[in-house]
Amino acid sequence: MSFEERQILIIGAGPSGLIAAREAARRGVDVLVVEEDSEIGVPCHCAGLLSLRGLKRLNVSVDGSYVQNRVRGAFFYSPSGLSFKIERQNPVACVVDRSALDKYFASQAARSGAEIRLNSRVQDIRLEKGYVAAKSKKEVFKASIVIDAEGASSRIVRAAGLKPTNPSYLLPGFQLDLYGVDVDPNYVEVHVGSKVAPGFFAWVIPLSSNSVRVGLGCRKANPKELLQRFIERRFKGEEYEILMSRSGTIITSGPIERTFSNRLLIVGDAAGQVKPTTGGGVILGGLCGAIAGKVAAEAVNLGRFDEDFLRLYEESWRKKLGREFKYMLWARRILNALSDHMIDKGFELIIKEGFQEVISREGDMDFQSGIILELIRRRRILRMLLPLLRLLTPSSQ
């Protein structure tokens, strides 16, 4: 068994871990990323719909070969079939090949000076005097600081004595890529309701005018069975070919209580840094990863790996994103508590008030707190939600 010393060890080569590696390595420190799988970005569990603004926030080109399509709006459908549209004149989001995007993040990290090692699964981690020992099947790493970017099922969070993501907020998801269907390539579809996807929603994301990525997440149900029924209704009479299937876990919990410890930072899905409203984690998790990389590099340069210093990581990402996570979690809990009838009433009010025009004009796919607050300030919507709002105020989160 080999033994090696590293300054920063990052466990997991998803977007958050690779962005952390990029930012740390840019600052001239020694960075090693270890990934248990044999290929970056494989297997893929993501729907791959990302805002153009969010990619720019991550310093990622919106013209890369990983971009499969661009969309400028979305149709939302209620349980009874009511619908409204939000749109911009120009594209606001793109559909990406997540495997290719992750490889791009890896190339950024490598160009910055980080080393990436595949087929290396960390099995055990423990805090020793003056370093962290991380053990894989063939290697033992002695690191000054570890960044945990394992994902939702992180073992390191528990091993460090931190409180992990609440499993009741982890939902099963399933999706298929279909070819041979007729869709508008400019618009995503979101379908809600207990018969479609209890506890979450179904999505139709166009890859082109004749291919889509269609999937759903749900609570206390079988996502494969629900998705098959949804596809039969949505694409009735169309002869399509299934190109690819994916399954995964959708995180709707919001961040864990604490994302740092001595010589340890937690980022991305492992930290619950995922939008509770949609389950999307690339952009906000990536922003947190960038902060983690910068703080870890500073810790190495100063020789400060104690909790008092590493607290800076949590203070920084909560200052930047805490409000967003708070209100998106609040919105998710309200949505989970609404009956199909109340959802239909909400659609009626949004359409009657013309609120879809406000969302189109002012909405941000990643920073959603402003539009959430604007929505509940509408008198009629507030009156409908008042009983729930009394129970689910942000201060109670």
Side-chain angles (χ1 to χ4, degrees):
M1 180 173 288
S2 65
F3 180 90
E4 60 183 287
E5 296 186 21
R6 309 305 291 242
Q7 290 180 320
I8 298 176
L9 177 67
I10 299 176
I11 303 174
S16 298
L18 292 169
I19 290 171
R22 180 191 73 191
E23 294 305 314
R26 280 178 176 175
R27 288 157 175 80
V29 297
D30 169 44
V31 180
L32 172 65
V33 182
V34 293
E35 166 59 42
E36 66 179 357
D37 292 311
S38 59
E39 183 179 347
I40 297 291
V42 179
C44 175
H45 307 291
C46 177
L49 181 68
L50 306 176
S51 71
L52 298 178
R53 186 181 298 177
L55 286 175
K56 292 175 182 177
R57 286 169 174 149
L58 296 180
N59 296 318
V60 173
S61 171
V62 297
D63 298 312
S65 59
Y66 40 78
V67 175
Q68 297 174 290
N69 185 32
R70 295 170 183 262
V71 298
R72 63 187 185 90
F75 286 94
F76 291 80
Y77 295 90
S78 80
S80 69
L82 296 172
S83 70
F84 64 84
K85 177 175 66 174
I86 61 172
E87 63 178 339
R88 295 268 177 88
Q89 185 174 356
N90 297 313
V92 294
C94 62
V95 190
V96 300
D97 179 332
R98 262 296 305 278
S99 178
L101 179 62
D102 285 11
K103 288 178 172 64
Y104 176 80
F105 284 128
S107 69
Q108 282 191 322
R111 286 197 304 269
S112 297
E115 179 186 345
I116 301 171
R117 191 171 301 173
L118 304 177
N119 295 309
S120 183
R121 181 178 185 269
V122 172
Q123 300 171 319
D124 180 53
I125 185 170
R126 62 185 186 276
L127 182 63
E128 303 287 357
K129 186 176 182 181
Y131 64 93
V132 180
K135 181 181 178 181
S136 71
K137 190 174 182 179
K138 298 179 180 179
E139 303 149 313
V140 176
F141 304 101
K142 179 180 176 181
S144 297
I145 184 171
V146 168
I147 297 177
D148 175 23
E150 284 183 293
S153 58
S154 169
R155 293 159 290 118
I156 293 174
V157 172
R158 292 182 177 86
L162 302 176
K163 189 175 181 180
T165 301
N166 186 334
S168 66
Y169 289 96
L170 303 180
L171 308 182
F174 189 72
Q175 65 181 2
L176 299 170
D177 284 4
L178 307 181
Y179 174 79
V181 295
D182 182 19
V183 292
D184 188 329
N186 295 299
Y187 296 95
V188 171
E189 297 176 16
V190 176
H191 299 253
V192 297
S194 62
K195 293 182 180 179
V196 174
F200 205 60
F201 60 86
W203 57 85
V204 177
I205 300 174
L207 303 176
S208 67
S209 60
N210 61 4
S211 60
V212 297
R213 185 165 296 148
V214 55
L216 59 79
C218 58
R219 183 180 298 277
K220 297 180 180 180
N222 186 318
K224 289 185 181 180
E225 294 178 359
L226 290 176
L227 182 59
Q228 186 58 47
R229 291 205 292 265
F230 174 74
I231 290 174
E232 288 173 358
R233 292 193 302 270
R234 174 59 183 84
F235 300 106
K236 186 177 181 180
E238 298 191 52
E239 295 184 5
Y240 56 81
E241 177 186 354
I242 298 176
L243 300 179
M244 188 177 298
S245 65
R246 300 180 179 90
S247 61
T249 299
I250 299 169
I251 303 170
T252 65
S253 61
I256 61 177
E257 290 181 3
R258 193 179 185 203
T259 58
F260 70 99
S261 185
N262 286 318
R263 297 183 180 271
L264 177 66
L265 303 177
I266 316 293
V267 301
D269 288 5
Q273 293 163 338
V274 176
K275 291 182 285 189
T277 47
T278 67
V282 173
I283 303 302
L284 299 191
L287 292 173
C288 294
I291 294 170
K294 294 171 186 176
V295 171
E298 188 174 356
V300 168
N301 289 328
L302 295 176
R304 289 286 307 276
F305 306 106
D306 54 283
E307 290 185 353
D308 286 344
F309 179 78
L310 296 182
R311 189 183 308 275
L312 174 64
Y313 161 62
E314 180 150 317
E315 291 174 347
S316 298
W317 74 254
R318 287 196 185 275
K319 181 178 181 181
K320 187 180 185 71
L321 300 172
R323 169 187 166 97
E324 303 306 318
F325 286 121
K326 175 196 276 190
Y327 282 100
M328 284 189 281
L329 180 58
W330 190 32
R332 169 47 55 199
R333 290 182 175 178
I334 289 173
L335 290 169
N336 288 348
L338 293 176
S339 65
D340 283 359
H341 174 72
M342 290 185 73
I343 293 174
D344 279 321
K345 294 294 292 182
F347 269 66
E348 289 177 4
L349 289 174
I350 287 172
I351 296 167
K352 187 173 183 178
E353 298 252 331
F355 192 71
Q356 68 271 30
E357 297 174 4
V358 179
I359 302 173
S360 297
R361 186 174 62 252
E362 301 177 13
D364 187 306
M365 285 179 61
D366 305 308
F367 288 70
Q368 300 175 4
S369 63
I371 207 68
I372 291 171
L373 288 172
E374 180 63 27
L375 176 63
I376 63 173
R377 287 191 185 111
R378 298 291 171 120
R379 184 174 300 176
R380 293 179 180 179
I381 294 175
L382 178 61
R383 193 158 50 233
M384 183 188 79
L385 295 177
L386 194 58
L388 291 174
L389 295 175
R390 286 171 177 161
L391 297 174
L392 300 171
T393 59
S395 60
S396 70
Q397 310 308 314

